[in-house]
Amino acid sequence: MLIRLEPRAEASRAMVYQSPLIAVVLTLIAGMIMFRIMGTDPLQAVHAFFIEPISTLDGVAELLVKATPLILIGVGLSLGFQANIWNIGAEGQLTLGAIFGGVVALAFFDVESVFLLPAMLIAGIIGGMLWAAVPAFLKARYNTNEILTSLMLVYVSFLLLSFLITGPLRDPDGFNFPESRLFHDSAVLPIILEGTRLHIGFLVALLFAVLAWLMIVKHIIGFQIKVIGMAPAAASFAGFKEKKLIWLTLLISGGAAGLAGAIEVSGPIGQVIPVVSPGYGFTAIIVAFLGRLNPVGVILAGILMALTYLGGDSAQITMNLPNAVTGVFQGMLLFFLLASDVLIRYRIRLGALRVREVTPRQEGVT
Amino acid sequence: MKRFNKLASLTAVALATATMAMSGGAQAQSDPLKVGFVYVGPIGDHGWSYEHNQGRLALEKEFGDKVQTTFVEKVPEGADAQRVINQLATSGHDLIFTTSFGYMNPTLRVAKNHPDVHFEHATGFKRDKNVATYSGRFYEGRHVAGLIAGKMTKTNTIGYVASFPIPEVIRGINAVAIAARSVNPDVKIKVVWVSSWFDPGKEADAAKTMIDQGVDIIMQHTDSPAPIQVAESRGVWAVGQASNMSAFGSKAHLTAIIDNWSPYYVARTKAVLDKTWDSTDTWGGFKSGMVQMAPYNEAIPADVVALAETARKGIIDGSVHPFAGPIKDQSGKIVVPAGEVASDGMLLGMDFYVEGVDGKIPN
């Protein structure tokens, strides 16, 4: 028997949403085979990886804490990605957001005010936007490749944070260790679930996703973003201003990443430290695509990706599995997603090739 | 001096809390004691995390089925650390070692919510009723390595691959400078900061740059064996960090400063089993076995080995102190007068270079 891929006349809408699910199922199956080969009980390992982390209320709260920056950044990036504007530097914009938010918290150290937290978050948004404005300007003005410029600025941001944290932002009572003092209470995000670390930042991320969704489906800007991504020539013919969209999408995604940075330092971390994020800005790129560049999809994808991190911890704790399992799972998930996406444009046909079905189209893969 | 006063008060608080008896975790006789470890690097870094994991394995060997150990590796020093430590605490671990400085505040936060669990934080300075701290006097090892380096260098220039400008690292650089110049007053120390504890690429680049500038001995306060490999290929000497790194360059490897956590981990686990654990601050050196020297390279002349061994034994019996006066800072000002030794407070907050170190501390 032969398995063939036959091109579809039209991209399958159903498959757009089904392929992530297929990818998850395939990842689970491949993961179980891997566990089997490693000599551990596959069911027990999958349980430790995917079920155990969320078997308690605290675990669910931690899952949402971990997903918060991924959702914020992923939703922001997905807007630009739909318009073929590739902001790869969210990690740097996040770092700037953390710096700006942290500077506000430390500048007003011990000041009790309800305005302090909003000021920190707004400062974070501004920081992220400023960092994204550089690639936006270069692309709009000189047509530079924003993939390179935004990525390079990530490394600049790390050095900037490193400079600040070993100097001006350093805790004066901290024996010269590179970290700031702990933020005082009114500079720390309120907890929304008593006894856990789940903070209000998660609601901010959900709100942002809703706003982004409204913009995409209800607002003319969203329409322009989609058109410019799918048919740039048509967009310019229709008189859409491409430069405006470059600025808009980069500033929104940069601002969202900056907000995520400010939320991280004022939420679960509670101080400025030399490395604020374990790569959320890069992981969010996977999250955006896994979520089909759709805000609701990004929320689900962000939670799923967060689960692979938590699962990695608990697999180490309860099963003594190596940390590398986390990376393998994330890699497989992306790999299977890319593979499953083939089903959007092709359908699987079983059976031998029949002569009358041979068409001149060359894109069919056998 | 404000910092040192702060340190004194911190120590006082620690001592006061240490005297309060800990109510040992309710531990049924048959259940093994669960001991958890949090590592910042992969256990295969052949440096810092590798040695902590050796300590964990020593526990299993010592106590057999009386203990059950768990570790989580490559835990980032940010929001994730608290989650991982908390997960260990809630999954029945009675003793948790958090083995990197960045885990200090997360450890303290988790400890507050789990008063029955014993926490041990490496290299930090904040303690609590159920949080003890420990670290090694690695500068004692640096002293011995510095003596050897001072004797072995032909170009009178020692290169130092450094991580972050914190007191512990500066202390190590100064210890090498003082020791090397005591046997060879012409020695200069060059320092390159790589802003990472583990980055083989950057560490190797730093070593190459310094060798190009005439350095013929590479020392490091970073955790990968990359500088040793560079030294081996370029035909210069090197001193290993944290563990015996001679496998990565047997010709270049003069010796290494080994962090040996096993005796401490065994002692603290025993204390929990015996219900005698309390919150302490341990700073162990050669004497307690926490710091050791790797076997000396056979190419080192016998008189240099004898010099090194005399110093090592002197540190153990107290006749030698790596920071004995007179010590001058870079400007030539005497910071420790002749006949005195630097206090632990001065060592813990060290933020200046001694005479003989090139450059400035990044600030």
Side-chain angles (χ1 to χ4, degrees), chain B residues 90-120:
Chain B
T90 50
S91 56
H93 291 81
D94 307 280
L95 174 61
I96 298 169
F97 292 92
T98 58
T99 64
S100 187
F101 174 75
Y103 301 150
M104 181 168 71
N105 292 310
T107 303
L108 286 159
R109 287 195 201 116
V110 175
K112 226 172 219 108
N113 296 330
H114 296 278
D116 293 339
V117 179
H118 312 83
F119 295 86
E120 296 265 354

mmCIF file of all heavy atoms in Angstrom, chain B residues 90-120:
data_model
loop_
_atom_site.group_PDB
_atom_site.id
_atom_site.type_symbol
_atom_site.label_atom_id
_atom_site.label_comp_id
_atom_site.label_asym_id
_atom_site.label_seq_id
_atom_site.Cartn_x
_atom_site.Cartn_y
_atom_site.Cartn_z
ATOM 1 N N THR B 90 7.403 20.741 48.690
ATOM 2 C CA THR B 90 6.063 20.174 48.818
ATOM 3 C C THR B 90 6.028 18.692 48.469
ATOM 4 O O THR B 90 5.056 18.022 48.769
ATOM 5 C CB THR B 90 5.050 20.912 47.918
ATOM 6 O OG1 THR B 90 5.592 20.999 46.610
ATOM 7 C CG2 THR B 90 4.745 22.289 48.434
ATOM 8 N N SER B 91 7.081 18.182 47.819
ATOM 9 C CA SER B 91 7.045 16.762 47.472
ATOM 10 C C SER B 91 7.801 15.919 48.494
ATOM 11 O O SER B 91 8.337 14.869 48.167
ATOM 12 C CB SER B 91 7.590 16.539 46.058
ATOM 13 O OG SER B 91 8.899 17.058 45.940
ATOM 14 N N GLY B 92 7.852 16.403 49.739
ATOM 15 C CA GLY B 92 8.331 15.566 50.829
ATOM 16 C C GLY B 92 9.821 15.589 51.074
ATOM 17 O O GLY B 92 10.340 14.735 51.792
ATOM 18 N N HIS B 93 10.551 16.557 50.500
ATOM 19 C CA HIS B 93 11.990 16.637 50.783
ATOM 20 C C HIS B 93 12.194 17.329 52.123
ATOM 21 O O HIS B 93 11.574 18.345 52.400
ATOM 22 C CB HIS B 93 12.714 17.369 49.659
ATOM 23 C CG HIS B 93 12.741 16.579 48.383
ATOM 24 N ND1 HIS B 93 11.668 16.552 47.524
ATOM 25 C CD2 HIS B 93 13.684 15.759 47.855
ATOM 26 C CE1 HIS B 93 11.959 15.750 46.499
ATOM 27 N NE2 HIS B 93 13.168 15.255 46.682
ATOM 28 N N ASP B 94 13.057 16.741 52.960
ATOM 29 C CA ASP B 94 13.277 17.293 54.295
ATOM 30 C C ASP B 94 14.495 18.184 54.342
ATOM 31 O O ASP B 94 14.673 18.981 55.254
ATOM 32 C CB ASP B 94 13.481 16.151 55.302
ATOM 33 C CG ASP B 94 12.370 15.152 55.229
ATOM 34 O OD1 ASP B 94 11.314 15.430 55.797
ATOM 35 O OD2 ASP B 94 12.556 14.106 54.570
ATOM 36 N N LEU B 95 15.391 18.019 53.356
ATOM 37 C CA LEU B 95 16.631 18.789 53.343
ATOM 38 C C LEU B 95 16.879 19.171 51.894
ATOM 39 O O LEU B 95 16.863 18.312 51.011
ATOM 40 C CB LEU B 95 17.774 17.923 53.895
ATOM 41 C CG LEU B 95 19.186 18.499 53.844
ATOM 42 C CD1 LEU B 95 19.281 19.774 54.658
ATOM 43 C CD2 LEU B 95 20.186 17.465 54.366
ATOM 44 N N ILE B 96 17.047 20.467 51.649
ATOM 45 C CA ILE B 96 17.196 20.942 50.272
ATOM 46 C C ILE B 96 18.428 21.826 50.167
ATOM 47 O O ILE B 96 18.561 22.810 50.900
ATOM 48 C CB ILE B 96 15.933 21.716 49.817
ATOM 49 C CG1 ILE B 96 14.712 20.786 49.845
ATOM 50 C CG2 ILE B 96 16.130 22.292 48.411
ATOM 51 C CD1 ILE B 96 13.392 21.499 49.675
ATOM 52 N N PHE B 97 19.343 21.440 49.275
ATOM 53 C CA PHE B 97 20.540 22.235 49.025
ATOM 54 C C PHE B 97 20.325 23.054 47.761
ATOM 55 O O PHE B 97 20.072 22.498 46.688
ATOM 56 C CB PHE B 97 21.759 21.323 48.833
ATOM 57 C CG PHE B 97 22.171 20.588 50.085
ATOM 58 C CD1 PHE B 97 21.675 19.321 50.368
ATOM 59 C CD2 PHE B 97 23.065 21.170 50.972
ATOM 60 C CE1 PHE B 97 22.059 18.644 51.520
ATOM 61 C CE2 PHE B 97 23.457 20.501 52.126
ATOM 62 C CZ PHE B 97 22.953 19.231 52.401
ATOM 63 N N THR B 98 20.399 24.383 47.866
ATOM 64 C CA THR B 98 20.268 25.239 46.691
ATOM 65 C C THR B 98 21.660 25.813 46.424
ATOM 66 O O THR B 98 22.186 26.571 47.229
ATOM 67 C CB THR B 98 19.232 26.344 46.914
ATOM 68 O OG1 THR B 98 19.601 27.127 48.041
ATOM 69 C CG2 THR B 98 17.865 25.750 47.157
ATOM 70 N N THR B 99 22.262 25.431 45.298
ATOM 71 C CA THR B 99 23.707 25.550 45.166
ATOM 72 C C THR B 99 24.189 26.691 44.269
ATOM 73 O O THR B 99 25.190 26.554 43.601
ATOM 74 C CB THR B 99 24.299 24.227 44.656
ATOM 75 O OG1 THR B 99 23.782 23.989 43.340
ATOM 76 C CG2 THR B 99 23.928 23.075 45.544
ATOM 77 N N SER B 100 23.458 27.811 44.257
ATOM 78 C CA SER B 100 23.994 28.957 43.519
ATOM 79 C C SER B 100 23.551 30.238 44.208
ATOM 80 O O SER B 100 22.483 30.284 44.825
ATOM 81 C CB SER B 100 23.513 28.940 42.073
ATOM 82 O OG SER B 100 24.168 29.960 41.347
ATOM 83 N N PHE B 101 24.364 31.284 44.077
ATOM 84 C CA PHE B 101 24.063 32.523 44.793
ATOM 85 C C PHE B 101 22.673 33.064 44.461
ATOM 86 O O PHE B 101 21.949 33.525 45.334
ATOM 87 C CB PHE B 101 25.110 33.601 44.506
ATOM 88 C CG PHE B 101 24.736 34.905 45.117
ATOM 89 C CD1 PHE B 101 24.871 35.088 46.480
ATOM 90 C CD2 PHE B 101 24.161 35.913 44.363
ATOM 91 C CE1 PHE B 101 24.466 36.268 47.076
ATOM 92 C CE2 PHE B 101 23.743 37.105 44.954
ATOM 93 C CZ PHE B 101 23.908 37.273 46.311
ATOM 94 N N GLY B 102 22.292 32.988 43.174
ATOM 95 C CA GLY B 102 21.021 33.568 42.729
ATOM 96 C C GLY B 102 19.793 32.913 43.336
ATOM 97 O O GLY B 102 18.680 33.404 43.182
ATOM 98 N N TYR B 103 19.967 31.802 44.033
ATOM 99 C CA TYR B 103 18.823 31.137 44.669
ATOM 100 C C TYR B 103 18.554 31.683 46.075
ATOM 101 O O TYR B 103 17.672 31.186 46.763
ATOM 102 C CB TYR B 103 19.059 29.621 44.778
ATOM 103 C CG TYR B 103 19.303 28.916 43.458
ATOM 104 C CD1 TYR B 103 20.102 27.774 43.408
ATOM 105 C CD2 TYR B 103 18.727 29.369 42.275
ATOM 106 C CE1 TYR B 103 20.327 27.107 42.210
ATOM 107 C CE2 TYR B 103 18.953 28.713 41.077
ATOM 108 C CZ TYR B 103 19.748 27.586 41.050
ATOM 109 O OH TYR B 103 19.970 26.927 39.870
ATOM 110 N N MET B 104 19.316 32.695 46.495
ATOM 111 C CA MET B 104 19.214 33.150 47.882
ATOM 112 C C MET B 104 17.801 33.610 48.242
ATOM 113 O O MET B 104 17.186 33.070 49.167
ATOM 114 C CB MET B 104 20.219 34.277 48.134
ATOM 115 C CG MET B 104 20.193 34.804 49.554
ATOM 116 S SD MET B 104 21.608 35.863 49.926
ATOM 117 C CE MET B 104 21.226 37.323 48.970
ATOM 118 N N ASN B 105 17.279 34.610 47.531
ATOM 119 C CA ASN B 105 15.951 35.119 47.894
ATOM 120 C C ASN B 105 14.841 34.102 47.642
ATOM 121 O O ASN B 105 13.948 33.967 48.482
ATOM 122 C CB ASN B 105 15.700 36.448 47.193
ATOM 123 C CG ASN B 105 16.609 37.537 47.744
ATOM 124 O OD1 ASN B 105 16.706 37.719 48.956
ATOM 125 N ND2 ASN B 105 17.299 38.237 46.862
ATOM 126 N N PRO B 106 14.860 33.380 46.505
ATOM 127 C CA PRO B 106 13.855 32.319 46.337
ATOM 128 C C PRO B 106 13.889 31.286 47.473
ATOM 129 O O PRO B 106 12.840 30.876 47.974
ATOM 130 C CB PRO B 106 14.240 31.680 44.996
ATOM 131 C CG PRO B 106 14.942 32.752 44.249
ATOM 132 C CD PRO B 106 15.663 33.572 45.284
ATOM 133 N N THR B 107 15.085 30.894 47.923
ATOM 134 C CA THR B 107 15.189 29.911 49.000
ATOM 135 C C THR B 107 14.547 30.445 50.273
ATOM 136 O O THR B 107 13.790 29.752 50.955
ATOM 137 C CB THR B 107 16.676 29.567 49.269
ATOM 138 O OG1 THR B 107 17.259 29.086 48.066
ATOM 139 C CG2 THR B 107 16.805 28.510 50.355
ATOM 140 N N LEU B 108 14.830 31.715 50.584
ATOM 141 C CA LEU B 108 14.284 32.298 51.811
ATOM 142 C C LEU B 108 12.755 32.382 51.744
ATOM 143 O O LEU B 108 12.073 32.128 52.731
ATOM 144 C CB LEU B 108 14.872 33.691 52.034
ATOM 145 C CG LEU B 108 16.323 33.659 52.514
ATOM 146 C CD1 LEU B 108 17.015 34.972 52.227
ATOM 147 C CD2 LEU B 108 16.391 33.344 54.003
ATOM 148 N N ARG B 109 12.226 32.717 50.549
ATOM 149 C CA ARG B 109 10.764 32.819 50.418
ATOM 150 C C ARG B 109 10.108 31.454 50.620
ATOM 151 O O ARG B 109 9.108 31.335 51.320
ATOM 152 C CB ARG B 109 10.394 33.361 49.038
ATOM 153 C CG ARG B 109 10.678 34.837 48.885
ATOM 154 C CD ARG B 109 9.953 35.391 47.654
ATOM 155 N NE ARG B 109 10.606 36.622 47.241
ATOM 156 C CZ ARG B 109 11.238 36.780 46.073
ATOM 157 N NH1 ARG B 109 11.262 35.813 45.188
ATOM 158 N NH2 ARG B 109 11.823 37.915 45.787
ATOM 159 N N VAL B 110 10.675 30.427 49.995
ATOM 160 C CA VAL B 110 10.089 29.095 50.132
ATOM 161 C C VAL B 110 10.230 28.625 51.585
ATOM 162 O O VAL B 110 9.302 28.038 52.151
ATOM 163 C CB VAL B 110 10.761 28.094 49.164
ATOM 164 C CG1 VAL B 110 10.223 26.686 49.390
ATOM 165 C CG2 VAL B 110 10.535 28.515 47.720
ATOM 166 N N ALA B 111 11.372 28.912 52.188
ATOM 167 C CA ALA B 111 11.632 28.450 53.554
ATOM 168 C C ALA B 111 10.597 29.006 54.531
ATOM 169 O O ALA B 111 10.202 28.333 55.482
ATOM 170 C CB ALA B 111 13.041 28.856 53.979
ATOM 171 N N LYS B 112 10.169 30.240 54.288
ATOM 172 C CA LYS B 112 9.172 30.852 55.161
ATOM 173 C C LYS B 112 7.876 30.046 55.174
ATOM 174 O O LYS B 112 7.238 29.901 56.202
ATOM 175 C CB LYS B 112 8.885 32.271 54.663
ATOM 176 C CG LYS B 112 8.881 33.258 55.778
ATOM 177 C CD LYS B 112 8.801 34.682 55.321
ATOM 178 C CE LYS B 112 9.697 35.531 56.182
ATOM 179 N NZ LYS B 112 10.883 36.006 55.540
ATOM 180 N N ASN B 113 7.494 29.509 54.013
ATOM 181 C CA ASN B 113 6.250 28.747 53.914
ATOM 182 C C ASN B 113 6.405 27.293 54.333
ATOM 183 O O ASN B 113 5.416 26.576 54.408
ATOM 184 C CB ASN B 113 5.715 28.793 52.473
ATOM 185 C CG ASN B 113 5.341 30.200 52.060
ATOM 186 O OD1 ASN B 113 4.957 31.013 52.893
ATOM 187 N ND2 ASN B 113 5.474 30.491 50.770
ATOM 188 N N HIS B 114 7.642 26.840 54.542
ATOM 189 C CA HIS B 114 7.870 25.444 54.906
ATOM 190 C C HIS B 114 8.794 25.364 56.118
ATOM 191 O O HIS B 114 9.940 24.953 56.006
ATOM 192 C CB HIS B 114 8.476 24.676 53.729
ATOM 193 C CG HIS B 114 7.564 24.597 52.544
ATOM 194 N ND1 HIS B 114 6.560 23.671 52.434
ATOM 195 C CD2 HIS B 114 7.477 25.354 51.434
ATOM 196 C CE1 HIS B 114 5.908 23.851 51.298
ATOM 197 N NE2 HIS B 114 6.451 24.874 50.663
ATOM 198 N N PRO B 115 8.283 25.762 57.285
ATOM 199 C CA PRO B 115 9.149 25.844 58.474
ATOM 200 C C PRO B 115 9.734 24.490 58.896
ATOM 201 O O PRO B 115 10.730 24.461 59.610
ATOM 202 C CB PRO B 115 8.221 26.420 59.554
ATOM 203 C CG PRO B 115 6.835 26.225 59.036
ATOM 204 C CD PRO B 115 6.913 26.202 57.551
ATOM 205 N N ASP B 116 9.138 23.372 58.445
ATOM 206 C CA ASP B 116 9.634 22.063 58.863
ATOM 207 C C ASP B 116 10.708 21.509 57.943
ATOM 208 O O ASP B 116 11.285 20.461 58.221
ATOM 209 C CB ASP B 116 8.485 21.051 58.938
ATOM 210 C CG ASP B 116 7.524 21.399 60.056
ATOM 211 O OD1 ASP B 116 7.952 22.127 60.980
ATOM 212 O OD2 ASP B 116 6.368 20.968 59.998
ATOM 213 N N VAL B 117 10.948 22.179 56.836
ATOM 214 C CA VAL B 117 11.959 21.694 55.892
ATOM 215 C C VAL B 117 13.266 22.435 56.155
ATOM 216 O O VAL B 117 13.259 23.625 56.477
ATOM 217 C CB VAL B 117 11.488 21.923 54.438
ATOM 218 C CG1 VAL B 117 12.536 21.452 53.447
ATOM 219 C CG2 VAL B 117 10.164 21.216 54.196
ATOM 220 N N HIS B 118 14.388 21.720 56.047
ATOM 221 C CA HIS B 118 15.700 22.337 56.266
ATOM 222 C C HIS B 118 16.291 22.750 54.930
ATOM 223 O O HIS B 118 16.344 21.949 54.002
ATOM 224 C CB HIS B 118 16.645 21.354 56.953
ATOM 225 C CG HIS B 118 16.029 20.674 58.136
ATOM 226 N ND1 HIS B 118 15.228 19.561 58.007
ATOM 227 C CD2 HIS B 118 16.074 20.959 59.445
ATOM 228 C CE1 HIS B 118 14.806 19.193 59.207
ATOM 229 N NE2 HIS B 118 15.305 20.023 60.091
ATOM 230 N N PHE B 119 16.748 23.995 54.854
ATOM 231 C CA PHE B 119 17.334 24.504 53.617
ATOM 232 C C PHE B 119 18.806 24.839 53.835
ATOM 233 O O PHE B 119 19.186 25.314 54.909
ATOM 234 C CB PHE B 119 16.590 25.756 53.148
ATOM 235 C CG PHE B 119 15.163 25.492 52.754
ATOM 236 C CD1 PHE B 119 14.153 25.498 53.704
ATOM 237 C CD2 PHE B 119 14.829 25.213 51.439
ATOM 238 C CE1 PHE B 119 12.838 25.245 53.352
ATOM 239 C CE2 PHE B 119 13.520 24.960 51.070
ATOM 240 C CZ PHE B 119 12.513 24.971 52.032
ATOM 241 N N GLU B 120 19.596 24.587 52.803
ATOM 242 C CA GLU B 120 21.027 24.925 52.847
ATOM 243 C C GLU B 120 21.325 25.697 51.573
ATOM 244 O O GLU B 120 21.184 25.167 50.465
ATOM 245 C CB GLU B 120 21.867 23.635 52.868
ATOM 246 C CG GLU B 120 21.670 22.773 54.102
ATOM 247 C CD GLU B 120 22.718 23.056 55.162
ATOM 248 O OE1 GLU B 120 23.654 23.830 54.878
ATOM 249 O OE2 GLU B 120 22.591 22.501 56.273
#
